Amino acid sequence: MSKKILCYGEMLWDDFPSGRVPGGAPLNIASNLIQLGLQPMLVSAVGQDAAGEELLNLLRQRQIPETWIQQNRLSTSRVQVDDSQPEEVRYEILFPVAWDRIAWNEALREAAEQADMVIFGSLSLRHPQSLATLRQLLAHTSAQVIFDLNLRPPFLHFPDVEDFLHRAQLLKVNEEELLFLTRYLLGNASASATTETLVAAAAALCQRYQLAGIWLTRGGEGAYWLAPDRAPLAQKAYPVQVKDTVGAGDAFLSGMVAGLAAEKSAAEILDFAARLGAFVASQSGGAPLHDPAAIAALKY
């Protein structure tokens, strides 16, 4: 039986200048995981509006269960996306929206108890209600917990970030996010983006928060799997023509989760995650349909 992966937080429409596409890291990850043969359990909320109904229709089309999607009176989330610089996409995220008000209920308790892994991002910590629901969810699960840090100022509260670092076993960050944690949580104001500094920072975070590992993405510089019990594992980036980087990190995380669920070797897991991330960067939006042949054909 395939693993059940609970994805908690935002689902939304990304409004690009060229048109809108579905997005939000949990939705992107759920879309990837179901295409990889896993069972995503997407926990989010949409409004009682046309935009929310269209997102629900998308879930039905992709066979992502809507069992844990709530509807409330707030608007379905929309994000203004500036992709004029494809490798440095900027976002304007409205607040509050429907997924800020995810409510704890019996269905979520059952989902938490069934999950093999739980994935959440720092955006889901920005409102007291969804924050409280996440705390309840983690209190009712024995699943492996993966924290996907997303730097989206001003939605970052250090005490909450620290709290959930203590609750997680694995942390997914990009280079900017790791440096941010190093400067503000570890007090190293002079931290730079050298490989040596990043590896040392990851080791310090693993020790301080008792993390089993950190997944670090560095764009065109590749990725690292950093764990306290072994040497850093490096992975080259697969070169592609970048359409936009929206969802590339989510795809990388999805590939790592799929590999862990399949109990593949660390090197195989990291290679596939890099392939999937590169493929999504070559497509428009964060939740494209996969092309397995194109993913397999990527070369250095």
Side-chain angles (χ1 to χ4, degrees), residues 175-186:
E175 183 177 292
E176 178 187 8
E177 290 158 351
L178 180 55
L179 287 174
F180 189 84
L181 292 179
T182 302
R183 291 164 182 159
Y184 289 92
L185 296 183
L186 300 180

Side-chain angles (χ1 to χ4, degrees), residues 8-10 99 102 120-127 130-131 134:
Y8 182 90
E10 64 273 20
W99 57 261
I102 302 171
F120 66 92
S122 48
L123 265 180
S124 64
L125 313 180
R126 73 178 187 170
H127 189 281
S130 283
L131 172 62
L134 178 60

Side-chain angles (χ1 to χ4, degrees), residues 117 144 146 169-173 178 195 198-199 202-203 206 211-218 221-236 252-253 255-274:
M117 298 182 194
Q144 187 172 41
I146 303 170
Q169 285 84 55
L170 293 164
L171 173 67
K172 163 29 183 91
V173 288
L178 180 55
T195 299
L198 293 169
V199 169
C206 284
L211 295 166
I214 293 178
W215 299 337
L216 169 65
T217 57
R218 301 186 68 190
E221 297 297 313
Y224 286 84
W225 188 346
L226 305 156
D229 58 350
R230 64 163 180 260
L233 186 61
Q235 171 65 46
K236 292 181 181 178
F252 175 87
L253 190 156
M256 296 294 287
V257 166
L260 280 180
E263 300 182 354
K264 294 185 178 180
S265 72
E268 287 178 301
I269 293 170
L270 197 53
D271 177 76
F272 178 72

Side-chain angles (χ1 to χ4, degrees), residues 5 13 27 69 71 75 81 85 91 105 116 129 141 150 164 171 190 201 215 228 239 258 270-271 281 283 288:
I5 316 298
W13 288 106
L27 173 56
I69 307 301
Q71 286 186 283
S75 298
V81 182
Q85 299 182 54
Y91 307 88
N105 57 32
D116 295 296
Q129 183 164 348
T141 191
N150 291 296
F164 284 93
L171 173 67
S190 62
W215 299 337
L270 197 53
D271 177 76
Q283 308 295 304

Side-chain angles (χ1 to χ4, degrees), residues 86-87 240-245 278 281-283:
E87 296 192 13
V240 294
Q241 182 67 44
V242 175
K243 185 80 171 180
D244 65 62
T245 56
S282 73
Q283 308 295 304

